[in-house]
Amino acid sequence: MTRSSSALIPAASDTLLDPGKLEAAKEPSVKINGGWPSGRIDLAASLGAQSADRYMRTRPGLSIGVPPSEKSHGMSPAHAALGTEGRPLPPVTPQTVGRYFKQQVGVWPSKRVALCAAVNENLGKLATLKEGPQQEQLHLEITLHWHCLCEVEKRAVLNALGTSPNNLLGDTSRPAADESARTPVRDWLEHTAVFETPERATRLLSACSSEARERLGKSLILPTSERDLVAMLKDRFVNLRNTMPVDHMYDYTGFLWDNHRVCGTLPEEAKKLKVCIAGGGPSGIIAGDLFNRLGVNVHIKEQHSQIGGRMRTERMTDSNGRESPTPIQPGAMRFHTTRGNAYWSIAKHYELPHRPFPNPSTVTTAYIIGNKVELAAPGVPAPNEVMQKVAADVNAALVETMLLPVTAARDAGNTAEFRELCDKYKEEFDGKTFAAGLESLLEKQGIKWSEEEWDVFRATGIGVGGYGGYMGTGFLEEFRFLVDERLEGHQQLLGGADAPLRKMIADEKGLPDGVESLEKQGAIQVNVEITGVKKIDGRYHVSSLNKETNESSTDIYDEFVFAGGPTEAKRLGLTGHQEGSESLMPVEFGSAMEKANVVGATKLAIKVPKKFLGEHGQLPGNLQTNAQFQQSYLTPPMEGSDNAVWYTSYTLGDNAPKMAAIPPEEQLTNFVKKLRDVASQSPADQSDQAAYEGLRGIAYAVEQNKDRFSYAHWGLEKHFGGAFKMDEPNQLNNTRELWSALLKPTDGAIFINEENTFEGGFASGAVAAAINGTQQFIVKHGGELPPNSPFDQERL
């Protein structure tokens, strides 16, 4: 189509909404201090009136108000009294749009008064784009700006859209559910309308001309439509949801793949630098791959006998030395799958096999609360009144009042409202523990829990099982889990949590000419423990111990990338002054690393031949409790394997230190004893007998295979000192300091680890840290970054 986009939708007849005259119009004044998203602008003067009511009453000839001839059609004065308060112009960045892009698709104004006409023009352009990424991006760009318009401006856009001679909405006599009736502009309108309140949608539509109302009606009055239609439309636009992590809103998945895992370009001399990466966990391996794709040779030193860090996978061997196909994953065992999880995108890239992880909401689950057991099936109401009440209370206090508005803003692509809501909650809850924050939300609903109800919540948690160990962590940490949907749709990688890293090491596709894979280069040294790092005359002297030969050595490197966590950095003395060394990091960053709250976790897993799973009737797929072992999961045998894995005990947070003095064999004994003690009781109702029988079956299967276990206690391993970072109350600013250090040029070492991010404990944070660290290196050595790189984004 050769026709210009500005001609596809007529501008409103008000000269102040005419694209040709807007740039000369008077800019509005800020009514409430602040820029986008929190600032507000009163546009009454720009629109030619002192108030919405006066504007609508005195200037009907501008096609903004309801024409006098239509007042007999039942229009109430309230319908015409549209507001003139809008938001300032938004920045058009990957964070505000909700996904990575190199350049914007739409043409957006530099003056706020031109915004209304620009939305019209870009809707016209949207109609010309074929289905694909550009169409989706422009759709989201228009949505971003739509939510900055005041009601008078929105009405002008709708009226112009509804009177367009080009009929960009298609055949609006056909229902929204009809796939053949869809057009890009109708899709945008329905995506926008389905998240409007019925009252506002009705007022906007009522203020339009009769011709526009006729054409817009079926699409704009969606909020009052039947639930099935609304659900269908939400599902239709699910790929437009903004699922980026709440604290930085950056699409690392899009950046990674749109740039083919190449984070920038380097001068030739920079490619000759000798670089050491300390740590072969996810951030270290991913950084190694990114450096390799720049043409930089790296040396990765890993203290363990295999790569993966807390995500490494273990495979037992039989008496003949054959490796079992069933992995035991002492670290990560499940992954959320939103676009915001860049690690999962690597697994998808390599087409790694996976299956749903058996979280409580997906399989039959036994809950032990005190000395009673309750059996709950997925999709069925909780088995007793107390559990039902606790679930209802949490839904009323936490989900409906806090999470649903945030989720609705995500679904609508309304990043301004999303950020406003999240900023409000950060300010309100930064000083509270999770328990205190939840208690305050309950109190607002007039709810006060008994100790029994708190016990039930500690056992049932917020989606993945027993949560007693996390009650003392910061409320905002759990808020991130929920808002970022990290606890939903979990998948298990059948080849192990570290399978993407092993694929990456061997990958040769897309490498620069003459560059081999990390595996062929022999770039990774295992069983090599770094014992000290000093910076002398601008170069890094890295001392290490070869744990196989027991030999110590010191190597000199031009750059040093530390992929260990805060606990290991402190242990090595990297966070502060060292005698005989230049500083490795800024003082503020070192202080933040020392304050980082690294929490413990333990995991005890047993291989169980599938023949044991049916000997005592049907076993539950999941066991949750407020007892010490906290969370327990059964992952069924994989195809071609005779073994299932029982994660008999996964303890987190405050519960993990309680296990420190108990050997794993004794933990198993205690686990079996607890199950048998509870199962020995006679249930009050014979229909509950299956739940008690299931506990006996689990106890039997575990006891018969108790010599086939794997155990990890991350708090006791000196190179970890804990499993992952979780903020305590009043630590938001400390994590901001850790994160911002990844986004600044540095004269010292480069520190990458998911524990330095807002995503401690989640592999997506490791990807973000690796990308940011690689871009630090590029900027430091005179290279260039792709457009809209994360390193260039203002994110706090």
Side-chain angles (χ1 to χ4, degrees), residues 737-771:
E737 183 64 44
L738 288 171
W739 178 244
S740 65
L742 288 164
L743 302 168
K744 299 174 184 175
T746 177
D747 291 329
I750 296 171
F751 288 82
I752 59 170
N753 188 281
E754 115 283 338
E755 291 180 342
N756 295 342
T757 76
F758 287 102
E759 299 177 80
F762 290 83
S764 48
V767 181
I771 290 173

Side-chain angles (χ1 to χ4, degrees), residues 88-312:
L89 279 176
V92 185
T93 68
Q95 290 141 300
T96 62
V97 172
R99 63 183 57 191
Y100 175 72
F101 58 86
K102 289 185 170 67
Q103 61 184 26
Q104 61 193 46
V105 177
V107 178
W108 300 105
S110 59
K111 289 188 176 182
R112 175 60 180 77
V113 290
L115 186 57
C116 179
V119 170
N120 272 343
E121 289 189 71
N122 283 291
L123 281 169
K125 182 175 182 179
L126 181 66
T128 71
L129 298 179
K130 294 181 179 179
E131 185 177 354
Q134 277 212 321
Q135 186 193 91
E136 287 189 0
Q137 183 184 325
L138 184 56
H139 179 129
L140 291 171
E141 288 179 20
I142 294 169
T143 299
L144 169 70
H145 291 86
W146 165 266
H147 288 294
C148 295
L149 299 178
C150 70
E151 288 185 324
V152 171
E153 292 174 307
K154 288 180 178 180
R155 182 264 169 209
V157 169
L158 294 173
N159 204 54
L161 182 60
T163 55
S164 167
N166 296 280
N167 195 16
L168 303 182
L169 295 171
D171 184 358
T172 54
S173 67
R174 293 152 77 186
D178 187 341
E179 283 283 331
S180 64
R182 294 176 63 180
T183 72
V185 177
R186 182 171 181 174
D187 273 357
W188 173 82
L189 180 62
E190 291 176 348
H191 180 217
T192 300
V194 80
F195 293 104
E196 284 283 6
T197 64
E199 182 272 338
R200 187 184 300 128
T202 301
R203 283 197 304 122
L204 288 172
L205 187 65
S206 299
C208 291
S209 69
S210 57
E211 179 187 354
R213 289 199 306 274
E214 177 73 21
R215 196 174 286 178
L216 297 170
K218 274 191 170 59
S219 296
L220 196 59
I221 302 298
L222 291 172
T224 58
S225 300
E226 66 269 20
R227 288 187 177 183
D228 288 348
L229 175 61
V230 171
M232 181 275 292
L233 287 168
K234 287 183 177 180
D235 185 63
R236 175 181 285 177
F237 304 122
V238 69
N239 62 323
L240 294 170
R241 299 184 70 241
N242 180 351
T243 59
M244 300 307 109
V246 58
D247 285 285
H248 61 69
M249 296 285 289
Y250 193 85
D251 179 12
Y252 283 92
T253 296
F255 176 82
L256 193 68
W257 301 110
D258 283 8
N259 291 291
H260 310 289
R261 286 153 62 185
V262 179
C263 290
T265 57
L266 283 170
E268 287 302 314
E269 58 269 21
K271 297 178 184 179
K272 300 173 184 176
L273 296 174
K274 189 177 179 183
V275 178
C276 174
I277 297 178
S283 55
I285 295 297
I286 293 167
D289 176 74
L290 297 177
F291 272 88
N292 202 36
R293 290 176 187 278
L294 293 172
V296 178
N297 287 324
V298 293
H299 301 260
I300 302 174
K301 298 180 186 292
E302 166 55 45
Q303 59 85 24
H304 199 269
S305 60
Q306 66 183 77
I307 60 102
R310 281 175 290 113
M311 295 176 65
R312 67 177 181 262

Side-chain angles (χ1 to χ4, degrees), residues 255-378:
F255 176 82
L256 193 68
W257 301 110
D258 283 8
N259 291 291
H260 310 289
R261 286 153 62 185
V262 179
C263 290
T265 57
L266 283 170
E268 287 302 314
E269 58 269 21
K271 297 178 184 179
K272 300 173 184 176
L273 296 174
K274 189 177 179 183
V275 178
C276 174
I277 297 178
S283 55
I285 295 297
I286 293 167
D289 176 74
L290 297 177
F291 272 88
N292 202 36
R293 290 176 187 278
L294 293 172
V296 178
N297 287 324
V298 293
H299 301 260
I300 302 174
K301 298 180 186 292
E302 166 55 45
Q303 59 85 24
H304 199 269
S305 60
Q306 66 183 77
I307 60 102
R310 281 175 290 113
M311 295 176 65
R312 67 177 181 262
T313 299
E314 295 182 6
R315 284 180 170 80
M316 295 181 176
T317 55
D318 61 19
S319 56
N320 296 318
R322 291 174 299 191
E323 190 178 76
S324 166
T326 303
I328 290 183
Q329 300 170 147
M333 58 184 176
R334 53 192 170 188
F335 300 90
H336 72 95
T337 56
T338 69
R339 183 181 173 90
N341 187 349
Y343 190 80
W344 186 254
S345 77
I346 298 171
K348 287 175 63 179
H349 172 76
Y350 289 117
E351 299 180 340
L352 297 175
H354 53 88
R355 66 182 176 191
F357 187 82
N359 277 330
S361 59
T362 63
V363 296
T364 299
T365 300
Y367 291 97
I368 299 177
I369 304 170
N371 284 309
K372 294 179 64 177
V373 59
E374 302 282 358
L375 202 61

